[in-house]
Amino acid sequence: MVFTQQHRLDLVNRLVIFEAVGHVDHVDKMEVVIKKAINLAHIHNLKGILLDLSGLKVTYDNVLMIDAFVRMRDEDWFGILRLARLVPNATHSHTHGLIAEITKKFNLPIKTFDTKVRQLPGYYTIMNDRFWLDTPLEKMNEAQWESICDGCAKCCLHKFIDDDEAETAAPTAHIQTGEQIHYTNIACGLLNTKTCNCTRYEERTVLVPDCVKLTKENIDDIFFMPTSCSYRRLHEGRGLPSWHPLLNKGKKAKMHKVGMSVRGKTVFDHDVELEDFEDYIALWPIEDTD
């Protein structure tokens, strides 16, 4: 059976829809298809990709496909894109369940569905261009809220407040008048310092109890976020920075180029003694370019 593919743009839902039919015997062929879809989505400033594989038979090891997805994530192919796989109903259910479990573990922006009815609602959210200009943070839906994160990973750095009265170091949820936060270049051990993504994003607050999840409810206590943080910028009425992925086709390249991410500047917390934090105090985390 011959492998054929076709694509179309759904500009209403802001999707690239790829339909593949036939037989694929090598993961490289599928990787080419996915990268082509990603390029089209970036060119047309779309938000998601639908891979309709319901008419496709694959005979390659699906673990190799996961390896390809992880590699593409590490090379920043996805940006803010979301990718959904539509697979034959009840076919290879164990395999697809395994893929779903692995993609969640590796924090991949991919979900698997067996019907189109189940797939589109709730996964792809239509977001108007520059929605942040007229939608306050507290009114944003989940997809909009998540997309405001610029992915700089500065929030994953250890920060300290000098307190002469404290006998031992302890986490705090507030800052006193006159106190100052000292940022360090010590990064959480769960951080991928190349992609600036958390490797266990969904489990981060469980694995790292001191990790604070920023929400609409605690955004008023945003003192622990750097001044360049896009949530903080919007909260303070300063708008998104020019290097934000939402203003650069979902890519982090400009952010890295202007030095606003942690890439190439950190050490892991499991490699240092946190009691010696003064040796790792850094000024670059509090810098903002515009």
Side-chain angles (χ1 to χ4, degrees), residues 45-250:
N45 196 27
L46 303 179
K47 299 298 181 183
I49 299 170
L50 167 57
L51 288 176
D52 188 345
L53 309 179
S54 56
L56 189 68
K57 177 183 178 181
V58 298
T59 54
Y60 55 76
D61 188 343
N62 276 284
V63 174
L64 296 177
M65 191 69 253
I66 293 298
D67 288 342
F69 281 139
V70 172
R71 185 170 61 254
M72 283 187 278
R73 182 203 62 186
D74 291 346
E75 294 173 356
D76 200 21
W77 274 84
F78 294 113
I80 61 172
L81 286 174
R82 294 293 178 263
L83 187 148
R85 301 166 68 248
L86 180 63
V87 300
N89 187 20
T91 302
H92 307 303
S93 58
H94 173 72
T95 299
H96 294 311
L98 178 62
I99 291 176
E101 181 179 339
I102 295 175
T103 54
K104 181 178 179 180
K105 178 179 179 180
F106 285 93
N107 192 30
L108 296 171
I110 302 161
K111 288 191 177 182
T112 300
F113 301 84
D114 55 17
T115 69
K116 289 184 179 179
V117 174
R118 291 180 56 192
Q119 182 169 16
L120 294 178
Y123 187 55
Y124 291 118
T125 301
I126 299 173
M127 294 190 295
N128 296 324
D129 287 338
R130 300 179 183 266
F131 63 89
W132 57 91
L133 296 179
D134 52 18
T135 305
L137 286 168
E138 62 271 15
K139 298 294 184 181
M140 291 181 183
N141 59 44
E142 183 179 357
Q144 291 172 333
W145 174 269
E146 288 291 332
S147 70
I148 293 300
C149 176
D150 49 56
C152 69
K154 290 181 181 179
C155 59
C156 301
L157 299 174
H158 285 269
K159 299 164 280 290
F160 298 88
I161 299 175
D162 279 335
D163 187 348
D164 295 334
E165 298 181 0
E167 296 182 359
T168 59
T172 180
H174 62 277
I175 187 171
Q176 303 288 351
T177 302
E179 290 183 333
Q180 180 181 359
I181 294 181
H182 298 288
Y183 286 83
T184 72
N185 66 339
I186 305 173
C188 172
L190 297 182
L191 182 66
N192 180 323
T193 56
K194 180 180 178 181
T195 64
C196 298
N197 292 327
C198 179
T199 58
R200 305 290 291 275
Y201 184 76
E202 297 296 333
E203 309 163 271
R204 65 193 187 283
T205 57
V206 175
L207 298 174
V208 184
D210 294 345
C211 178
V212 178
K213 180 180 179 180
L214 187 64
T215 67
K216 300 173 185 178
E217 288 70 34
N218 67 6
I219 196 168
D220 287 334
D221 301 319
I222 205 170
F223 70 90
F224 56 89
M225 303 296 278
T227 55
S228 61
C229 169
S230 293
Y231 291 104
R232 181 167 182 171
R233 288 179 62 105
L234 289 184
H235 185 62
E236 296 175 351
R238 293 186 286 126
L240 293 185
S242 60
W243 43 264
H244 196 288
L246 283 175
L247 298 174
N248 294 277
K249 297 183 178 180

Side-chain angles (χ1 to χ4, degrees), residues 27-41:
V27 70
D28 287 349
K29 295 180 181 179
M30 187 55 63
E31 184 173 349
V32 169
V33 169
I34 294 172
K35 286 183 175 179
K36 182 178 179 180
I38 291 173
N39 282 329
L40 281 170

